[in-house]
Amino acid sequence: MMPLMPRVAAWLVFVFFALSYARLASSRPSPKSSSAWMRKSPSCTVPTAQLTTAPKSNVWSGLTDTEAASVDSWLFGQKSLNLTVSKKAGEWDNSILLIELMLPNKTGVLEYLDKEGNAPVRYAHVVLDVRATTEPYYEDILVGPLPVKNGTTTYQPLTYPYTRKTGGRVRNLDADADDTLYKYWIHKISGSILDITLDLWNGSALGFGNDTLDIWGQDPLWQDDGIIRWDQFWMLPTDEFDSFTLLPLGLYFSSNITGRNPSKWSFEGWLYNNVYYSTTEEFRAAYYSPGFEKLKPNIQGPWANTDQQDTAPPLDTSYPPISVTPGGSRYAVDKEQKYVKWMDFEFYIAFTRDTGMRIYDIKYKGERIIYELGLEEALAHYAGNDPIQSGTSYLDSFYGFGPFSFELVAGYDCPSYATYLDSSFYTVETTHIHINSICMFEQDAGYPIQRHSTSTYVSVTKNIFFTIRNISTVGNYDYMFSYSFYMDGSIHVEVRASGYIQSAYWAHNGDYGYQIHDALSGSMHDHVLNYKVDFDVLGTANTMTTTTMVPVSESYPWSKGKARNTMKLQRNQIKTEDESKLLWGDNGATQFTVVNLDKPNAFGEHKGFRVLPSRGTAHLTVKDSSNLANAANWATHDLFVTRRKDTEPRAAHPYNSQDVNNPVVDFNEFFDGESLVQEDIVVWFNLGMHHIPHTGDLPNTVFTTAHSGLQIMPLNYLSGDPSRETVNMVRIDYKNGSVSAVDTFGQAQMTCNADIATFEPDLYSYKGDVVIRKFPYDPNNPYYETDDG
């Protein structure tokens, strides 16, 4: 376990002092009377969320323990599936990878939410790993209806949500990765040059416990001429720090591993110092020849460790500022239903294995504005002079965001006073519960949402917003996902990235990155994260419109025949899917707005919500990616608009990487020329970063710079600025340098002693995750194991 920051030993006292008085109809009281309206609040303690009851059941919530266990048991009873318990399953056994709720179709959900219909019938989405065949595959099936009943429950291939109709199946290129690939193949190759690895790095990778080297390669595998993989040697870390992606060694080899018979696999060649050798004999002969250049190794050191190092900045050892909530929480949560209310916003939370946290049924001032908002896929597409960087394009839903959404660290990932929720995911006949992996909290933005000064008064309004957050550590990267709600009716979607970069060996890589350490290059890559937002602005009939500021030369009746160089608004509609692959546009001059054309405001303008970047975004730089083919067609533009269909719920599929030329979901097939005017439309937008790592990315990339965001903002939707409704504002009247009145509009003012030790989290209470066995299932004793982190 990494050492924790020492606890605060001293008791610190913050006195929150303020003055307020009620606004009077005729006049404001003099500041001299302030003592009459000071009042004391209860002591400042860490608040808990207010309690509320969801108006409807959360139909997007996951399966209950009993439901998941019953599906597990029922599937093992289907002899035709020939299933083996996962922990006992080998490379030639069939097993269950996933059991989760099949998210209900929107058409059925709206009947339940809006028309008092019955809740949608529940089904389970199951993924089978079928390996007892020479052509292994993953298979999506639908099991239900639930609850499980003999005679009524059935299973069938799940095909309707996918563009590829192949019985819910996609090939499994990793069926032999657990055992045969390394024991029979990879370590056999590495053993054939043991003399060279010992000479270069005094290391070996033979599959033994005392190995000092590791071997792994690109993702996805090359799929054009058979199944081709490139692998590289990496130095293993010698301490507890997770720095292995910083330790490439610059020696690569290629294999053709087509088929399941290793005797038919073939070794293709070595690459070292930008020279390709087609055989081991050729490589060895060159290695021992005079003048052969031996590249220096990557040596692990403090530069790769994340602990505090060197001299702290001045005054840094003093305890930093923290936020407190002297009035208690100002939001309400139904934890069982994962339903949240804050000010004029309310919504439900869901969580899936593939994409992690999602938000449903977002209402603002009682009206649904968004049916669904959440991550679809995350791509990290690399480039480099070597075949590993050139061949790597991670599609992270393959690994899943849910399994790696670990417990958040109170006081660091989120304020210590935040409210926390658990999340869960299924694997190997168990459900893992990640405790406190979702947080929610109110916070002051550190700048006002409104202010204005005159010669007689100043008016300022606090910018208090509400955030729900989740962090997933997928491999070497930590992704922080935040959804923030503001008093002006806007929603801010943000993603930040930290963690270790995947680096390249420095030799011959200058066109693809900076040299950032002795033998290390920061490998350039694009992060592109695709999101879905299903708008329902005043109903399901919506249209995407654009308003662009364009330069013009215009003559006016009053300009006496002389043209004036100026600008004007150019309005347009995205009418069909043929024109709905969009870029943000030059100079940020185009505003994209989802409106309801049938419900204008009092002035004839269309009510809607703008969709605009708040921080740099990215779509994929690479054109017609050799790695991805058709597997990530959602990454080519900044945003897309499609007509919403129950058969097109996802822009991607976690196994798209297994067949990039004919993926399970080819996003391009969503676009078939259909009308988008006053239809139920979906906007798919991309956040991300063009990342060229530099020395400041060592040891970890920082959240401050690896940051992308998008805002969803009301446009002509309300009669005025809704932040005028908050009482968290002040107006100070003054004349001749003296304050004549202070109006706080009835906001509660607190004077309380804040015991900072109360707000300091107990970091030794960090739990990790809890495991619930599903097969065999014992409802009286489901918790059989607890894991750390």
Side-chain angles (χ1 to χ4, degrees):
M1 177 181 291
M2 297 184 186
L4 298 173
M5 179 179 178
R7 298 182 180 181
V8 177
W11 293 79
L12 302 177
V13 177
F14 277 68
V15 178
F16 293 85
F17 175 79
L19 304 176
S20 75
Y21 54 95
R23 187 177 190 179
L24 301 179
S26 57
S27 64
R28 298 185 181 95
S30 164
K32 293 181 180 179
S33 63
S34 62
S35 60
W37 41 262
M38 276 185 60
R39 69 184 182 86
K40 289 189 175 183
S41 74
S43 60
C44 295
T45 58
V46 178
T48 57
Q50 306 292 324
L51 300 180
T52 189
T53 301
K56 297 275 187 171
S57 295
N58 187 340
V59 295
W60 309 277
S61 186
L63 298 175
T64 66
D65 287 338
T66 299
E67 285 176 324
S70 64
V71 171
D72 235 330
S73 178
W74 186 84
L75 287 170
F76 275 99
Q78 308 308 302
K79 301 303 181 184
S80 60
L81 297 177
N82 189 25
L83 293 174
T84 301
V85 175
S86 297
K87 287 190 175 182
K88 297 180 180 179
E91 293 179 345
W92 289 84
D93 293 316
N94 301 337
S95 59
I96 300 171
L97 285 184
L98 174 70
I99 297 177
E100 66 179 3
L101 176 71
M102 181 66 194
L103 292 174
N105 293 331
K106 180 180 179 181
T107 48
V109 173
L110 292 187
E111 288 287 330
Y112 170 65
L113 293 180
D114 300 339
K115 299 179 181 180
E116 301 303 321
N118 294 326
V121 177
R122 291 166 70 83
Y123 285 82
H125 168 217
V126 177
V127 179
L128 303 177
D129 187 0
V130 181
R131 299 193 188 193
T133 172
T134 56
E135 296 182 359
Y137 55 88
Y138 300 108
E139 182 174 16
D140 289 284
I141 63 173
L142 194 64
V143 178
L146 301 180
V148 169
K149 293 181 180 179
N150 291 330
T152 60
T153 296
T154 62
Y155 77 89
Q156 58 185 300
L158 180 60
T159 60
Y160 77 84
Y162 311 136
T163 59
R164 191 176 93 169
K165 308 301 182 183
T166 55
R169 296 180 180 183
V170 60
R171 65 186 179 188
N172 178 0
L173 299 182
D174 295 311
D176 299 303
D178 296 339
D179 188 16
T180 300
L181 179 66
Y182 275 87
K183 287 186 178 180
Y184 179 86
W185 191 251
I186 297 294
H187 291 141
K188 178 181 177 181
I189 294 172
S190 64
S192 72
I193 60 161
L194 178 61
D195 56 322
I196 295 177
T197 64
L198 287 171
D199 184 61
L200 281 174
W201 312 303
N202 192 30
S204 63
L206 303 176
F208 300 136
N210 61 351
D211 279 353
T212 57
L213 306 177
D214 198 8
I215 300 172
W216 50 274
Q218 96 275 14
D219 179 3
L221 301 177
W222 292 356
Q223 301 165 31
D224 293 331
D225 300 311
I227 306 303
I228 309 298
R229 62 178 295 135
W230 276 94
D231 287 283
Q232 178 177 201
F233 286 83
W234 303 74
M235 191 74 75
L236 283 170
T238 56
D239 55 29
E240 72 268 33
F241 292 99
D242 190 34
S243 57
F244 67 98
T245 58
L246 297 182
L247 304 173
L249 294 172
L251 175 59
Y252 317 87
F253 63 91
S254 178
S255 309
N256 185 326
I257 59 166
T258 305
R260 300 201 71 184
N261 185 350
S263 67
K264 295 184 178 181
W265 294 355
S266 61
F267 172 79
E268 300 291 302
W270 295 95
L271 180 70
Y272 186 74
N273 200 12
N274 211 33
V275 178
Y276 180 76
Y277 306 94
S278 58
T279 67
T280 300
E281 292 73 23
E282 183 183 352
F283 176 42
R284 175 172 279 105
Y287 184 84
Y288 287 110
S289 64
F292 182 85
E293 181 184 4
K294 299 179 183 179
L295 301 175
K296 55 187 175 182
N298 264 315
I299 303 299
Q300 186 186 19
W303 62 273
N305 299 345
T306 56
D307 275 355
Q308 194 276 332
Q309 302 176 43
D310 301 325
T311 303
L315 302 180
D316 184 59
T317 54
S318 297
Y319 202 78
I322 64 171
S323 299
V324 297
T325 53
S329 66
R330 306 196 308 167
Y331 53 90
V333 179
D334 182 338
K335 286 194 172 185
E336 181 178 351
Q337 297 297 330
K338 288 186 168 58
Y339 169 77
V340 181
K341 290 193 65 166
W342 176 78
M343 302 299 167
D344 286 327
F345 284 100
E346 55 188 295
F347 54 84
Y348 293 86
I349 301 168
F351 198 88
T352 69
R353 176 266 178 205
D354 295 345
T355 61
M357 183 175 67
R358 305 184 76 79
I359 304 176
Y360 285 91
D361 197 27
I362 302 176
K363 291 183 177 179
Y364 177 61
K365 292 185 178 292
E367 294 280 353
R368 180 180 303 112
I369 58 173
I370 293 173
Y371 174 79
E372 179 183 7
L373 173 61
L375 179 72
E376 290 293 299
E377 182 60 278
L379 164 66
H381 197 304
Y382 290 76
N385 185 64
D386 69 74
I388 300 300
Q389 302 306 315
S390 180
T392 296
S393 301
Y394 295 118
L395 294 169
D396 281 337
S397 73
F398 175 81
Y399 306 98
F401 288 86
F404 304 105
S405 294
F406 300 117
E407 182 178 1
L408 298 165
V409 180
Y412 291 83
D413 291 325
C414 312
S416 57
Y417 58 80
T419 297
Y420 293 87
L421 298 177
D422 301 340
S423 64
S424 63
F425 68 97
Y426 175 98
T427 183
V428 294
E429 286 76 55
T430 60
T431 292
H432 286 243
I433 298 176
H434 281 155
I435 299 168
N436 299 338
S437 54
I438 299 171
C439 72
M440 58 190 73
F441 55 90
E442 258 193 322
Q443 197 167 32
D444 191 314
Y447 64 92
I449 199 170
Q450 169 275 336
R451 85 174 313 280
H452 183 61
S453 295
T454 73
S455 60
T456 60
Y457 74 89
V458 58
S459 171
V460 189
T461 306
K462 290 183 178 181
N463 191 358
I464 309 298
F465 66 100
F466 178 77
T467 297
I468 177 169
R469 175 174 294 162
N470 172 247
I471 298 177
S472 292
T473 304
V474 184
N476 51 308
Y477 266 114
D478 295 62
Y479 291 101
M480 174 186 283
F481 302 102
S482 300
Y483 300 88
S484 298
F485 301 82
Y486 287 79
M487 287 286 189
D488 65 347
S490 64
I491 302 171
H492 197 187
V493 183
E494 295 175 279
V495 62
R496 300 175 188 266
S498 186
Y500 285 99
I501 62 170
Q502 177 174 302
S503 58
Y505 194 77
W506 70 276
H508 311 286
N509 206 52
D511 289 339
Y512 301 92
Y514 306 113
Q515 184 172 349
I516 59 176
H517 206 258
D518 295 341
L520 201 65
S521 173
S523 184
M524 66 181 294
H525 56 283
D526 277 350
H527 290 284
V528 187
L529 297 99
N530 186 254
Y531 285 78
K532 175 183 181 180
V533 53
D534 179 353
F535 281 100
D536 283 352
V537 179
L538 301 172
T540 57
N542 290 170
T543 303
M544 172 68 86
T545 65
T546 64
T547 305
T548 305
M549 301 170 66
V550 295
V552 295
S553 183
E554 193 86 3
S555 295
Y556 303 93
W558 45 265
S559 62
K560 299 181 179 180
K562 293 183 179 180
R564 298 184 61 82
N565 294 332
T566 182
M567 57 186 174
K568 65 192 304 183
L569 295 181
Q570 186 179 84
R571 304 193 188 202
N572 195 15
Q573 295 177 4
I574 308 301
K575 294 182 178 180
T576 73
E577 290 180 340
D578 291 336
E579 55 190 79
S580 66
K581 297 180 179 180
L582 307 169
L583 300 174
W584 291 124
D586 184 51
N587 197 31
T590 299
Q591 293 190 4
F592 297 87
T593 308
V594 176
V595 303
N596 190 322
L597 298 177
D598 298 330
K599 298 182 180 180
N601 66 11
F603 311 106
E605 300 289 354
H606 298 130
K607 297 181 179 182
F609 279 79
R610 289 174 290 173
V611 180
L612 291 174
S614 61
R615 179 78 182 230
T617 66
H619 61 270
L620 184 59
T621 302
V622 178
K623 303 294 184 182
D624 299 320
S625 169
S626 300
N627 298 336
L628 295 174
N630 296 314
N633 285 323
W634 48 265
T636 59
H637 291 70
D638 293 322
L639 67 162
F640 308 80
V641 188
T642 65
R643 187 187 291 191
R644 193 212 65 81
K645 298 177 181 176
D646 288 341
T647 55
E648 296 174 349
R650 287 279 315 278
H653 187 280
Y655 298 127
N656 270 6
S657 62
Q658 301 298 291
D659 194 344
V660 296
N661 295 295
N662 186 21
V664 183
V665 176
D666 182 350
F667 188 62
N668 273 353
E669 295 192 22
F670 286 25
F671 299 85
D672 47 15
E674 291 181 298
S675 171
L676 298 175
V677 178
Q678 290 304 91
E679 299 287 350
D680 192 355
I681 61 174
V682 173
V683 176
W684 316 80
F685 64 85
N686 285 321
L687 300 184
M689 297 75 74
H690 302 299
H691 193 181
I692 309 174
H694 65 111
T695 54
D697 285 286
L698 297 179
N700 280 180
T701 295
V702 293
F703 278 145
T704 49
T705 56
H707 176 201
S708 182
L710 176 137
Q711 286 180 292
I712 299 169
M713 303 167 284
L715 179 71
N716 295 319
Y717 186 80
L718 302 164
S719 59
D721 170 16
S723 74
R724 297 308 82 224
E725 297 168 3
T726 181
V727 299
N728 297 149
M729 65 172 70
V730 66
R731 174 174 170 177
I732 303 174
D733 294 346
Y734 57 91
K735 186 176 182 180
N736 298 326
S738 299
V739 172
S740 58
V742 175
D743 199 336
T744 56
F745 303 94
Q747 68 173 286
Q749 295 294 316
M750 297 291 181
T751 301
C752 64
N753 293 329
D755 181 357
I756 300 304
T758 304
F759 290 87
E760 178 69 8
D762 178 10
L763 299 179
Y764 283 94
S765 66
Y766 194 85
K767 295 182 179 64
D769 66 281
V770 172
V771 182
I772 301 176
R773 188 193 301 274
K774 288 296 188 295
F775 184 80
Y777 180 61
D778 180 1
N780 297 315
N781 185 27
Y783 299 90
Y784 78 97
E785 180 183 347
T786 299
D787 296 339
D788 287 332

